[in-house]
Amino acid sequence: MNEVAENLAEVKERMAIAAQSSGRGVDEVSLVAVSKTWPAEHVQQAVDVGQRVFGENKLQEGQEKIPAMSDELEWHFIGGLQRNKVRKVFGLFHWVHSIDSLKLARYANGVAADMGIRPKVLLQVNIGRELSKGGFEVDELEESFAEILQLEHLDLRGLMCIPPAVENPDDARIYFKEMVALRARLQERHGMKLPELSMGMSGDFEVAIQEGATMVRVGSSIFGARNYSL
Ligand SMILES: *Cc1c(COP(=O)(O)O)cnc(C)c1O
């Protein structure tokens, strides 16, 4: 087995243990393999051992990589999304995790209507209330949620977060718990379901799974440390 295949098997094993340790089923959590910065040939090693779902954070990189790979794969856009890229992102990716403001949601809804599609989206929440991070503030999301639900060209599937960087993965647990509580409040108030919670990365995916993540976004634990200078 090559290193990517070995790493992938290990991540899946750790996901299964985390799910079991919290009384959840292994199949309740899906793995988005974050392939950003890695060329198609490297990513193909994961495809060769059965991985089908991948995450990218830049449109341009997706434009190079996605058409070069099997069209059976499912691509998730997880990066900051600028308005002028929405149309191309919707044309290329199957899911968008990073709708991070009411303005962007409204705009994306208009683009989807224009394209005649209903893309699957998640709303990104700035759960750690960090100035440096994008995402809805919790209060803001609760206030604007009724309007977001009216945006009928977006297939709203759930919430996503990137919690503050912490030394010990266990310190991220409070943020994941807050996400679960926020989802519960929204579901109850609006009488609807938000099935997906996209949370957990290489450093903290086990804790995220224990708290209720349905999608984890794992990059470096699968593909290796990224080198941005390449
Ligand atoms: C890069 C990235 C990940 C994966 O990070 P790793 O720590 O390499 O697992 C997950 N989510 C987002 C939004 C990212 O940009």
Side-chain angles (χ1 to χ4, degrees), residues 34 36 57 78 160 162 201-202 217-220 226:
V34 178
K36 66 188 186 197
N57 69 339
I78 61 174
M160 175 270 216
I162 307 171
M201 313 185 1
S202 290
R217 309 177 309 268
V218 180
S220 44
R226 287 178 291 272

Side-chain angles (χ1 to χ4, degrees), residues 80-113:
L81 181 55
Q82 292 158 315
R83 276 182 181 229
N84 60 351
K85 303 206 167 139
V86 170
R87 187 175 296 269
K88 285 185 172 149
V89 164
F90 280 168
L92 199 55
F93 289 84
H94 305 93
W95 285 72
V96 173
H97 290 222
S98 43
I99 299 293
D100 62 3
S101 70
L102 177 58
K103 268 180 148 172
L104 181 64
R106 285 179 184 142
Y107 182 79
N109 183 64
V111 172

Side-chain angles (χ1 to χ4, degrees), residues 105-125:
R106 285 179 184 142
Y107 182 79
N109 183 64
V111 172
D114 194 44
M115 294 173 77
I117 58 172
R118 193 160 179 269
K120 299 180 188 77
V121 302
L122 305 178
L123 304 174
Q124 182 173 348
V125 182

Side-chain angles (χ1 to χ4, degrees), residues 22 34 43 51 55 95 144 169 178 201 223:
S22 52
V34 178
V43 182
Q51 181 64 26
W95 285 72
S144 52
E178 269 196 67
M201 313 185 1
F223 295 108

